[in-house]
Amino acid sequence: MNMEALQIAGLGIVAAVIAVILKQQKLELGMYISITTGIIILMLLIGRLISVVDILNYIASRANVDSMHLSIVLKVIGIAYITEFGSQVCRDAGESAIASKIELGGKIIILSLTVPILAALIEVILQILP
Amino acid sequence: MSVDIIFKIAAIGILVSVLNHVLNRAGREEISMMVTLAGIVVVLLMVIDMISNLFNNIKSIFQLY
């Protein structure tokens, strides 16, 4: 079960060697190696991620937290995950301008998701105030 | 998700670069460019499949609909 750490480290080292060899010849094919390695490592970790999210859902349901709030938190984490992946791929290819635009897009989408919660908080505060 | 695909991409890359060298020596620059393009498109098709798989998984885990 805990051998996954060794697996990931070995896979990363082998893929790094291959990527360095390919980048000398063809830069774009070396990029594909790094993208593929990233996807495979994330896929190895997705099973554990599912169990963690399940436990979070269980705890939230036991604590009577509104399921909307937890789903917004999960959405924010997912958007951060995807945009981080995309921006790192772009930065690896030397396109740091596109990478920062991807990050900006993710931040704006996260902001638009969290503004309703902020509005609800302000509503609560206005109700408490006389 | 198997690791084989990394070695597959590496093999395609080495093959494309060797073909590139040979064709350049033979004075066929236009064909060597086509070979490079074909290799890039083939690998892109393989990688895009995996990317969509990953994004679908993340979408379903984090309830992004």
mmCIF file of all heavy atoms in Angstrom, chain A residues 77-121:
data_model
loop_
_atom_site.group_PDB
_atom_site.id
_atom_site.type_symbol
_atom_site.label_atom_id
_atom_site.label_comp_id
_atom_site.label_asym_id
_atom_site.label_seq_id
_atom_site.Cartn_x
_atom_site.Cartn_y
_atom_site.Cartn_z
ATOM 1 N N ILE A 77 -11.192 23.504 -4.725
ATOM 2 C CA ILE A 77 -9.990 22.666 -4.750
ATOM 3 C C ILE A 77 -9.799 22.057 -6.138
ATOM 4 O O ILE A 77 -8.682 22.015 -6.670
ATOM 5 C CB ILE A 77 -10.086 21.559 -3.683
ATOM 6 C CG1 ILE A 77 -10.124 22.159 -2.302
ATOM 7 C CG2 ILE A 77 -8.895 20.622 -3.779
ATOM 8 C CD1 ILE A 77 -10.386 21.139 -1.225
ATOM 9 N N GLY A 78 -10.897 21.599 -6.755
ATOM 10 C CA GLY A 78 -10.791 20.990 -8.083
ATOM 11 C C GLY A 78 -10.313 21.984 -9.123
ATOM 12 O O GLY A 78 -9.447 21.667 -9.958
ATOM 13 N N ILE A 79 -10.866 23.212 -9.080
ATOM 14 C CA ILE A 79 -10.442 24.225 -10.054
ATOM 15 C C ILE A 79 -8.979 24.558 -9.848
ATOM 16 O O ILE A 79 -8.210 24.695 -10.813
ATOM 17 C CB ILE A 79 -11.330 25.483 -9.921
ATOM 18 C CG1 ILE A 79 -12.729 25.170 -10.424
ATOM 19 C CG2 ILE A 79 -10.767 26.618 -10.722
ATOM 20 C CD1 ILE A 79 -13.726 26.216 -10.047
ATOM 21 N N ALA A 80 -8.533 24.643 -8.581
ATOM 22 C CA ALA A 80 -7.135 24.942 -8.318
ATOM 23 C C ALA A 80 -6.238 23.838 -8.881
ATOM 24 O O ALA A 80 -5.202 24.121 -9.498
ATOM 25 C CB ALA A 80 -6.900 25.079 -6.817
ATOM 26 N N TYR A 81 -6.675 22.606 -8.688
ATOM 27 C CA TYR A 81 -5.941 21.448 -9.202
ATOM 28 C C TYR A 81 -5.750 21.541 -10.722
ATOM 29 O O TYR A 81 -4.632 21.464 -11.248
ATOM 30 C CB TYR A 81 -6.782 20.220 -8.903
ATOM 31 C CG TYR A 81 -6.077 19.030 -8.335
ATOM 32 C CD1 TYR A 81 -6.785 18.119 -7.557
ATOM 33 C CD2 TYR A 81 -4.741 18.794 -8.571
ATOM 34 C CE1 TYR A 81 -6.173 17.022 -7.019
ATOM 35 C CE2 TYR A 81 -4.132 17.696 -8.048
ATOM 36 C CZ TYR A 81 -4.848 16.808 -7.268
ATOM 37 O OH TYR A 81 -4.267 15.708 -6.744
ATOM 38 N N ILE A 82 -6.869 21.737 -11.443
ATOM 39 C CA ILE A 82 -6.823 21.707 -12.910
ATOM 40 C C ILE A 82 -6.006 22.874 -13.449
ATOM 41 O O ILE A 82 -5.142 22.708 -14.317
ATOM 42 C CB ILE A 82 -8.258 21.730 -13.481
ATOM 43 C CG1 ILE A 82 -8.949 20.418 -13.178
ATOM 44 C CG2 ILE A 82 -8.234 21.966 -14.973
ATOM 45 C CD1 ILE A 82 -10.357 20.368 -13.623
ATOM 46 N N THR A 83 -6.243 24.077 -12.906
ATOM 47 C CA THR A 83 -5.519 25.230 -13.451
ATOM 48 C C THR A 83 -4.036 25.152 -13.120
ATOM 49 O O THR A 83 -3.198 25.575 -13.918
ATOM 50 C CB THR A 83 -6.097 26.548 -12.933
ATOM 51 O OG1 THR A 83 -6.128 26.515 -11.528
ATOM 52 C CG2 THR A 83 -7.463 26.783 -13.464
ATOM 53 N N GLU A 84 -3.703 24.581 -11.955
ATOM 54 C CA GLU A 84 -2.299 24.438 -11.595
ATOM 55 C C GLU A 84 -1.605 23.494 -12.570
ATOM 56 O O GLU A 84 -0.492 23.760 -13.050
ATOM 57 C CB GLU A 84 -2.202 23.900 -10.162
ATOM 58 C CG GLU A 84 -0.816 23.870 -9.578
ATOM 59 C CD GLU A 84 -0.246 25.250 -9.333
ATOM 60 O OE1 GLU A 84 -1.040 26.165 -9.072
ATOM 61 O OE2 GLU A 84 0.975 25.390 -9.424
ATOM 62 N N PHE A 85 -2.314 22.387 -12.882
ATOM 63 C CA PHE A 85 -1.746 21.423 -13.839
ATOM 64 C C PHE A 85 -1.483 22.083 -15.188
ATOM 65 O O PHE A 85 -0.394 21.993 -15.755
ATOM 66 C CB PHE A 85 -2.726 20.252 -13.986
ATOM 67 C CG PHE A 85 -2.275 19.176 -14.922
ATOM 68 C CD1 PHE A 85 -1.351 18.252 -14.517
ATOM 69 C CD2 PHE A 85 -2.790 19.111 -16.203
ATOM 70 C CE1 PHE A 85 -0.934 17.270 -15.380
ATOM 71 C CE2 PHE A 85 -2.379 18.133 -17.061
ATOM 72 C CZ PHE A 85 -1.448 17.202 -16.647
ATOM 73 N N GLY A 86 -2.498 22.785 -15.687
ATOM 74 C CA GLY A 86 -2.353 23.422 -16.998
ATOM 75 C C GLY A 86 -1.261 24.471 -17.002
ATOM 76 O O GLY A 86 -0.460 24.558 -17.937
ATOM 77 N N SER A 87 -1.200 25.277 -15.942
ATOM 78 C CA SER A 87 -0.208 26.353 -15.951
ATOM 79 C C SER A 87 1.199 25.788 -15.808
ATOM 80 O O SER A 87 2.150 26.329 -16.381
ATOM 81 C CB SER A 87 -0.507 27.351 -14.850
ATOM 82 O OG SER A 87 -0.018 26.894 -13.625
ATOM 83 N N GLN A 88 1.363 24.673 -15.065
ATOM 84 C CA GLN A 88 2.703 24.092 -14.959
ATOM 85 C C GLN A 88 3.158 23.504 -16.287
ATOM 86 O O GLN A 88 4.337 23.604 -16.641
ATOM 87 C CB GLN A 88 2.734 23.021 -13.874
ATOM 88 C CG GLN A 88 2.915 23.622 -12.501
ATOM 89 C CD GLN A 88 2.812 22.602 -11.422
ATOM 90 O OE1 GLN A 88 2.551 21.425 -11.685
ATOM 91 N NE2 GLN A 88 2.990 23.042 -10.202
ATOM 92 N N VAL A 89 2.205 22.906 -17.041
ATOM 93 C CA VAL A 89 2.576 22.391 -18.358
ATOM 94 C C VAL A 89 3.046 23.524 -19.263
ATOM 95 O O VAL A 89 4.069 23.433 -19.941
ATOM 96 C CB VAL A 89 1.388 21.634 -18.995
ATOM 97 C CG1 VAL A 89 1.639 21.381 -20.453
ATOM 98 C CG2 VAL A 89 1.158 20.337 -18.285
ATOM 99 N N CYS A 90 2.290 24.642 -19.240
ATOM 100 C CA CYS A 90 2.667 25.778 -20.088
ATOM 101 C C CYS A 90 4.006 26.360 -19.666
ATOM 102 O O CYS A 90 4.821 26.730 -20.504
ATOM 103 C CB CYS A 90 1.603 26.863 -20.033
ATOM 104 S SG CYS A 90 0.112 26.408 -20.868
ATOM 105 N N ARG A 91 4.244 26.455 -18.337
ATOM 106 C CA ARG A 91 5.500 27.031 -17.864
ATOM 107 C C ARG A 91 6.671 26.126 -18.245
ATOM 108 O O ARG A 91 7.760 26.606 -18.561
ATOM 109 C CB ARG A 91 5.420 27.221 -16.359
ATOM 110 C CG ARG A 91 6.533 28.056 -15.815
ATOM 111 C CD ARG A 91 6.181 28.653 -14.478
ATOM 112 N NE ARG A 91 5.229 29.745 -14.611
ATOM 113 C CZ ARG A 91 4.226 29.941 -13.788
ATOM 114 N NH1 ARG A 91 4.024 29.099 -12.811
ATOM 115 N NH2 ARG A 91 3.412 30.960 -13.960
ATOM 116 N N ASP A 92 6.413 24.808 -18.235
ATOM 117 C CA ASP A 92 7.450 23.846 -18.620
ATOM 118 C C ASP A 92 7.842 24.046 -20.080
ATOM 119 O O ASP A 92 8.997 23.868 -20.446
ATOM 120 C CB ASP A 92 6.894 22.432 -18.436
ATOM 121 C CG ASP A 92 7.942 21.497 -17.907
ATOM 122 O OD1 ASP A 92 8.839 21.996 -17.217
ATOM 123 O OD2 ASP A 92 7.857 20.300 -18.180
ATOM 124 N N ALA A 93 6.846 24.417 -20.903
ATOM 125 C CA ALA A 93 7.124 24.599 -22.323
ATOM 126 C C ALA A 93 7.717 25.974 -22.600
ATOM 127 O O ALA A 93 7.968 26.301 -23.755
ATOM 128 C CB ALA A 93 5.846 24.426 -23.123
ATOM 129 N N GLY A 94 7.933 26.772 -21.544
ATOM 130 C CA GLY A 94 8.541 28.082 -21.729
ATOM 131 C C GLY A 94 7.550 29.179 -22.030
ATOM 132 O O GLY A 94 7.949 30.274 -22.401
ATOM 133 N N GLU A 95 6.246 28.901 -21.897
ATOM 134 C CA GLU A 95 5.219 29.905 -22.168
ATOM 135 C C GLU A 95 4.689 30.436 -20.851
ATOM 136 O O GLU A 95 3.563 30.148 -20.443
ATOM 137 C CB GLU A 95 4.072 29.298 -22.984
ATOM 138 C CG GLU A 95 4.461 28.847 -24.366
ATOM 139 C CD GLU A 95 4.762 30.002 -25.295
ATOM 140 O OE1 GLU A 95 4.333 31.125 -25.007
ATOM 141 O OE2 GLU A 95 5.443 29.778 -26.307
ATOM 142 N N SER A 96 5.495 31.242 -20.153
ATOM 143 C CA SER A 96 5.046 31.655 -18.826
ATOM 144 C C SER A 96 3.925 32.678 -18.916
ATOM 145 O O SER A 96 3.150 32.820 -17.972
ATOM 146 C CB SER A 96 6.213 32.197 -18.016
ATOM 147 O OG SER A 96 6.934 33.121 -18.771
ATOM 148 N N ALA A 97 3.786 33.379 -20.052
ATOM 149 C CA ALA A 97 2.682 34.333 -20.182
ATOM 150 C C ALA A 97 1.343 33.600 -20.183
ATOM 151 O O ALA A 97 0.413 33.965 -19.457
ATOM 152 C CB ALA A 97 2.839 35.145 -21.462
ATOM 153 N N ILE A 98 1.252 32.511 -20.995
ATOM 154 C CA ILE A 98 0.004 31.746 -21.023
ATOM 155 C C ILE A 98 -0.260 31.124 -19.662
ATOM 156 O O ILE A 98 -1.401 31.069 -19.192
ATOM 157 C CB ILE A 98 0.073 30.679 -22.123
ATOM 158 C CG1 ILE A 98 0.262 31.340 -23.475
ATOM 159 C CG2 ILE A 98 -1.180 29.832 -22.147
ATOM 160 C CD1 ILE A 98 0.376 30.359 -24.590
ATOM 161 N N ALA A 99 0.833 30.681 -19.005
ATOM 162 C CA ALA A 99 0.661 30.040 -17.701
ATOM 163 C C ALA A 99 0.048 31.013 -16.707
ATOM 164 O O ALA A 99 -0.871 30.656 -15.968
ATOM 165 C CB ALA A 99 2.009 29.544 -17.188
ATOM 166 N N SER A 100 0.537 32.273 -16.701
ATOM 167 C CA SER A 100 -0.059 33.188 -15.725
ATOM 168 C C SER A 100 -1.479 33.557 -16.098
ATOM 169 O O SER A 100 -2.280 33.823 -15.211
ATOM 170 C CB SER A 100 0.799 34.431 -15.508
ATOM 171 O OG SER A 100 1.621 34.690 -16.577
ATOM 172 N N LYS A 101 -1.806 33.525 -17.408
ATOM 173 C CA LYS A 101 -3.210 33.766 -17.759
ATOM 174 C C LYS A 101 -4.100 32.632 -17.269
ATOM 175 O O LYS A 101 -5.238 32.869 -16.840
ATOM 176 C CB LYS A 101 -3.367 33.920 -19.267
ATOM 177 C CG LYS A 101 -3.367 35.335 -19.736
ATOM 178 C CD LYS A 101 -2.027 35.953 -19.583
ATOM 179 C CE LYS A 101 -1.916 37.310 -20.215
ATOM 180 N NZ LYS A 101 -0.528 37.784 -20.062
ATOM 181 N N ILE A 102 -3.624 31.401 -17.372
ATOM 182 C CA ILE A 102 -4.425 30.273 -16.872
ATOM 183 C C ILE A 102 -4.656 30.430 -15.369
ATOM 184 O O ILE A 102 -5.776 30.233 -14.868
ATOM 185 C CB ILE A 102 -3.730 28.941 -17.178
ATOM 186 C CG1 ILE A 102 -3.694 28.674 -18.670
ATOM 187 C CG2 ILE A 102 -4.455 27.789 -16.496
ATOM 188 C CD1 ILE A 102 -2.922 27.441 -19.018
ATOM 189 N N GLU A 103 -3.582 30.817 -14.650
ATOM 190 C CA GLU A 103 -3.745 31.002 -13.201
ATOM 191 C C GLU A 103 -4.732 32.122 -12.900
ATOM 192 O O GLU A 103 -5.557 32.005 -11.985
ATOM 193 C CB GLU A 103 -2.394 31.320 -12.569
ATOM 194 C CG GLU A 103 -1.553 30.074 -12.379
ATOM 195 C CD GLU A 103 -0.165 30.393 -11.892
ATOM 196 O OE1 GLU A 103 0.121 31.583 -11.670
ATOM 197 O OE2 GLU A 103 0.624 29.457 -11.752
ATOM 198 N N LEU A 104 -4.661 33.205 -13.694
ATOM 199 C CA LEU A 104 -5.595 34.314 -13.484
ATOM 200 C C LEU A 104 -7.026 33.851 -13.708
ATOM 201 O O LEU A 104 -7.934 34.189 -12.936
ATOM 202 C CB LEU A 104 -5.245 35.446 -14.445
ATOM 203 C CG LEU A 104 -6.122 36.675 -14.388
ATOM 204 C CD1 LEU A 104 -5.895 37.396 -13.088
ATOM 205 C CD2 LEU A 104 -5.833 37.591 -15.540
ATOM 206 N N GLY A 105 -7.227 33.036 -14.770
ATOM 207 C CA GLY A 105 -8.569 32.516 -15.039
ATOM 208 C C GLY A 105 -9.079 31.688 -13.879
ATOM 209 O O GLY A 105 -10.237 31.825 -13.462
ATOM 210 N N GLY A 106 -8.220 30.822 -13.340
ATOM 211 C CA GLY A 106 -8.639 29.997 -12.206
ATOM 212 C C GLY A 106 -9.000 30.857 -11.014
ATOM 213 O O GLY A 106 -10.004 30.620 -10.337
ATOM 214 N N LYS A 107 -8.187 31.903 -10.762
ATOM 215 C CA LYS A 107 -8.471 32.750 -9.600
ATOM 216 C C LYS A 107 -9.795 33.461 -9.759
ATOM 217 O O LYS A 107 -10.578 33.577 -8.808
ATOM 218 C CB LYS A 107 -7.344 33.780 -9.435
ATOM 219 C CG LYS A 107 -6.118 33.195 -8.778
ATOM 220 C CD LYS A 107 -4.978 34.163 -8.840
ATOM 221 C CE LYS A 107 -3.676 33.477 -8.470
ATOM 222 N NZ LYS A 107 -2.512 34.264 -8.872
ATOM 223 N N ILE A 108 -10.072 33.943 -11.002
ATOM 224 C CA ILE A 108 -11.331 34.682 -11.191
ATOM 225 C C ILE A 108 -12.522 33.751 -11.036
ATOM 226 O O ILE A 108 -13.545 34.106 -10.434
ATOM 227 C CB ILE A 108 -11.328 35.383 -12.558
ATOM 228 C CG1 ILE A 108 -10.307 36.511 -12.526
ATOM 229 C CG2 ILE A 108 -12.688 35.939 -12.895
ATOM 230 C CD1 ILE A 108 -10.133 37.189 -13.832
ATOM 231 N N ILE A 109 -12.389 32.503 -11.557
ATOM 232 C CA ILE A 109 -13.509 31.558 -11.422
ATOM 233 C C ILE A 109 -13.743 31.222 -9.953
ATOM 234 O O ILE A 109 -14.893 31.150 -9.482
ATOM 235 C CB ILE A 109 -13.228 30.297 -12.253
ATOM 236 C CG1 ILE A 109 -13.239 30.646 -13.738
ATOM 237 C CG2 ILE A 109 -14.267 29.234 -11.990
ATOM 238 C CD1 ILE A 109 -12.781 29.533 -14.601
ATOM 239 N N ILE A 110 -12.642 31.046 -9.201
ATOM 240 C CA ILE A 110 -12.781 30.753 -7.770
ATOM 241 C C ILE A 110 -13.446 31.935 -7.051
ATOM 242 O O ILE A 110 -14.335 31.758 -6.216
ATOM 243 C CB ILE A 110 -11.403 30.442 -7.167
ATOM 244 C CG1 ILE A 110 -10.931 29.073 -7.631
ATOM 245 C CG2 ILE A 110 -11.457 30.470 -5.655
ATOM 246 C CD1 ILE A 110 -9.535 28.753 -7.217
ATOM 247 N N LEU A 111 -13.031 33.149 -7.430
ATOM 248 C CA LEU A 111 -13.638 34.339 -6.824
ATOM 249 C C LEU A 111 -15.130 34.376 -7.088
ATOM 250 O O LEU A 111 -15.934 34.635 -6.180
ATOM 251 C CB LEU A 111 -12.964 35.583 -7.387
ATOM 252 C CG LEU A 111 -13.328 36.902 -6.744
ATOM 253 C CD1 LEU A 111 -12.807 36.911 -5.324
ATOM 254 C CD2 LEU A 111 -12.761 38.055 -7.522
ATOM 255 N N SER A 112 -15.535 34.075 -8.352
ATOM 256 C CA SER A 112 -16.957 34.130 -8.682
ATOM 257 C C SER A 112 -17.730 33.039 -7.951
ATOM 258 O O SER A 112 -18.920 33.197 -7.693
ATOM 259 C CB SER A 112 -17.159 34.012 -10.181
ATOM 260 O OG SER A 112 -17.050 32.680 -10.561
ATOM 261 N N LEU A 113 -17.055 31.916 -7.607
ATOM 262 C CA LEU A 113 -17.760 30.882 -6.850
ATOM 263 C C LEU A 113 -17.945 31.291 -5.399
ATOM 264 O O LEU A 113 -18.937 30.914 -4.765
ATOM 265 C CB LEU A 113 -16.959 29.577 -6.881
ATOM 266 C CG LEU A 113 -17.187 28.642 -8.047
ATOM 267 C CD1 LEU A 113 -16.305 27.432 -7.895
ATOM 268 C CD2 LEU A 113 -18.624 28.222 -8.091
ATOM 269 N N THR A 114 -16.964 32.055 -4.847
ATOM 270 C CA THR A 114 -17.011 32.329 -3.417
ATOM 271 C C THR A 114 -17.742 33.612 -3.070
ATOM 272 O O THR A 114 -18.061 33.816 -1.902
ATOM 273 C CB THR A 114 -15.589 32.394 -2.842
ATOM 274 O OG1 THR A 114 -14.795 33.209 -3.695
ATOM 275 C CG2 THR A 114 -14.985 31.017 -2.768
ATOM 276 N N VAL A 115 -18.020 34.455 -4.064
ATOM 277 C CA VAL A 115 -18.725 35.701 -3.758
ATOM 278 C C VAL A 115 -20.113 35.465 -3.143
ATOM 279 O O VAL A 115 -20.477 36.160 -2.193
ATOM 280 C CB VAL A 115 -18.790 36.594 -5.021
ATOM 281 C CG1 VAL A 115 -19.893 37.600 -4.912
ATOM 282 C CG2 VAL A 115 -17.474 37.304 -5.194
ATOM 283 N N PRO A 116 -20.904 34.475 -3.598
ATOM 284 C CA PRO A 116 -22.204 34.231 -2.946
ATOM 285 C C PRO A 116 -22.084 33.934 -1.456
ATOM 286 O O PRO A 116 -22.921 34.377 -0.655
ATOM 287 C CB PRO A 116 -22.762 33.023 -3.700
ATOM 288 C CG PRO A 116 -22.149 33.089 -5.017
ATOM 289 C CD PRO A 116 -20.800 33.662 -4.823
ATOM 290 N N ILE A 117 -21.023 33.197 -1.055
ATOM 291 C CA ILE A 117 -20.853 32.919 0.374
ATOM 292 C C ILE A 117 -20.587 34.208 1.138
ATOM 293 O O ILE A 117 -21.122 34.436 2.231
ATOM 294 C CB ILE A 117 -19.700 31.921 0.572
ATOM 295 C CG1 ILE A 117 -20.100 30.573 0.005
ATOM 296 C CG2 ILE A 117 -19.367 31.772 2.030
ATOM 297 C CD1 ILE A 117 -19.110 29.511 0.285
ATOM 298 N N LEU A 118 -19.755 35.071 0.517
ATOM 299 C CA LEU A 118 -19.464 36.360 1.152
ATOM 300 C C LEU A 118 -20.755 37.159 1.319
ATOM 301 O O LEU A 118 -20.999 37.765 2.377
ATOM 302 C CB LEU A 118 -18.469 37.122 0.275
ATOM 303 C CG LEU A 118 -17.732 38.276 0.927
ATOM 304 C CD1 LEU A 118 -16.845 37.754 2.043
ATOM 305 C CD2 LEU A 118 -16.902 39.012 -0.092
ATOM 306 N N ALA A 119 -21.593 37.136 0.280
ATOM 307 C CA ALA A 119 -22.861 37.867 0.353
ATOM 308 C C ALA A 119 -23.739 37.305 1.460
ATOM 309 O O ALA A 119 -24.364 38.055 2.215
ATOM 310 C CB ALA A 119 -23.582 37.788 -0.992
ATOM 311 N N ALA A 120 -23.764 35.964 1.586
ATOM 312 C CA ALA A 120 -24.577 35.360 2.643
ATOM 313 C C ALA A 120 -24.063 35.756 4.016
ATOM 314 O O ALA A 120 -24.842 36.030 4.946
ATOM 315 C CB ALA A 120 -24.557 33.834 2.501
ATOM 316 N N LEU A 121 -22.717 35.809 4.142
ATOM 317 C CA LEU A 121 -22.119 36.212 5.422
ATOM 318 C C LEU A 121 -22.534 37.638 5.778
ATOM 319 O O LEU A 121 -22.920 37.932 6.932
ATOM 320 C CB LEU A 121 -20.600 36.117 5.320
ATOM 321 C CG LEU A 121 -19.819 36.489 6.573
ATOM 322 C CD1 LEU A 121 -20.070 35.466 7.658
ATOM 323 C CD2 LEU A 121 -18.351 36.583 6.267
#
